[in-house]
Amino acid sequence: MALKVLIVDDEALARSRLRALLAECTEPRTDVVGEASNAVQAMEQIQRTQCDLVMLDIHMPGVDGIALANTLREMARPPAVIFVTAYAEHAVHTFELEAIDYLTKPVRRERLQQALQKAQRLLTASEGNGDGGLPESLIIQERGRSERVALTDVIYLKAELKYITVRTADKEHIYDGALSDLEQRYAHLFVRVHRNALVSRRAMRAVEKHNDPVEGEGWMVRLDGVEERLAVSRRQLAAVREALMS
């Protein structure tokens, strides 16, 4: 199904360019259900038209995009939001508003395609939640940009030096945080397999014996989506087996 999109920008040329870029994106397909040049028009359209996703500018006359996004969060079933703006300094704050992504103008088609795919994944996951909200996620800040990564996409979290590697089927991210904090907050999603690693409960496929020429006999966990296997400590082996069978 096509994502139903509302474009909100006070510049007609910007709306036209974004509409043209959306038409070039096919995975997922989009259906632009309307355009608005300010927050008041946007709310009127959202209230009368089914909308999955709002492509939202920040700097607009009157109520700005940040305030509109805050208002949308109060809805029973709010549309997802992707900010599209020329101003990169708002990126971190917009992710606090649960925006799916943050695109800077001029928008590249490849970058827009990535944002739409992320929106589709998160909206599908939120439907599975049954509450219409976005699924639990981490905000990754890398190379001057912020990205929301759904925890349902994460295969494992591995502490390395001062950072955590967040591994999905597609790529690795670097997250600044403590593994123990993530374990405490997301114990329903991840199980500790080693002092330096948590793995997704849903991604576990098998626990296998492993013989290392240096360390000797041990255990490894096999995961969906990656060829890499992670070591399982003897201390965690029973808990990992229990999680695998549950």
Side-chain angles (χ1 to χ4, degrees):
M1 297 292 290
L3 290 175
K4 298 183 183 300
V5 180
L6 174 67
I7 300 173
V8 184
D9 196 305
D10 63 309
E11 297 180 5
L13 186 60
R15 298 196 303 271
S16 177
R17 171 171 168 73
L18 189 53
R19 181 186 280 269
L21 285 174
L22 287 167
E24 295 176 8
C25 297
T26 58
E27 296 180 3
R29 292 183 300 107
T30 59
D31 176 16
V32 178
V33 297
E35 296 182 11
S37 62
N38 56 59
V40 174
Q41 291 179 4
M43 283 303 300
E44 290 175 349
Q45 294 207 43
I46 290 169
Q47 289 169 355
R48 68 170 183 260
T49 307
Q50 181 183 352
C51 173
D52 301 315
L53 174 65
V54 178
M55 307 293 295
L56 180 58
D57 189 17
I58 290 181
H59 291 273
M60 299 183 295
V63 178
D64 66 12
I66 298 291
L68 176 57
N70 261 317
T71 300
L72 294 178
R73 292 177 69 192
E74 302 302 318
M75 297 175 62
R77 296 186 65 84
V81 171
I82 293 176
F83 283 100
V84 185
T85 178
Y87 301 90
E89 65 268 21
H90 295 290
V92 174
H93 182 53
T94 57
F95 279 99
E96 293 172 356
L97 296 173
E98 298 185 345
I100 283 178
D101 213 333
Y102 184 99
L103 307 181
T104 52
K105 300 175 182 177
V107 177
R108 294 182 295 108
R109 182 175 60 83
E110 295 79 6
R111 183 70 182 87
L112 175 59
Q113 182 77 77
Q114 292 174 1
L116 293 173
Q117 290 171 350
K118 189 189 305 183
Q120 185 182 52
R121 290 196 302 269
L122 292 173
L123 287 167
T124 299
S126 68
E127 290 174 1
N129 289 346
D131 57 7
L134 291 178
E136 295 168 299
S137 57
L138 296 177
I139 304 302
I140 307 293
Q141 298 180 36
E142 294 179 306
R143 295 184 292 277
R145 62 182 292 258
S146 301
E147 181 175 350
R148 183 184 297 278
V149 177
L151 289 173
T152 51
D153 290 339
V154 176
I155 297 172
Y156 68 75
L157 301 158
K158 188 174 182 181
E160 299 180 85
L161 299 177
K162 296 181 180 180
Y163 300 97
I164 295 173
T165 296
V166 179
R167 185 68 162 94
T168 69
D170 300 324
K171 62 187 294 189
E172 290 185 352
H173 303 273
I174 300 300
Y175 179 76
D176 186 5
L179 199 66
S180 57
D181 291 343
L182 294 176
E183 179 183 24
Q184 184 175 3
R185 288 162 56 192
Y186 304 116
H188 58 294
L189 296 176
F190 298 95
V191 61
R192 184 176 288 274
V193 297
H194 196 274
R195 61 180 175 80
N196 70 342
L198 306 175
V199 302
S200 166
R201 293 176 180 272
R202 63 165 186 80
M204 287 195 300
R205 287 295 168 263
V207 177
E208 303 169 335
K209 188 170 287 189
H210 170 73
N211 287 293
D212 186 277
V214 177
E215 298 184 1
E217 183 179 282
W219 296 87
M220 307 288 285
V221 59
R222 180 157 49 87
L223 303 165
D224 247 359
V226 293
E227 294 184 6
E228 180 182 1
R229 301 181 184 188
L230 298 184
V232 179
S233 68
R234 296 185 185 280
R235 181 178 180 180
Q236 301 299 139
L237 183 58
V240 172
R241 282 176 167 164
E242 181 180 353
L244 181 64
M245 300 304 294
S246 62

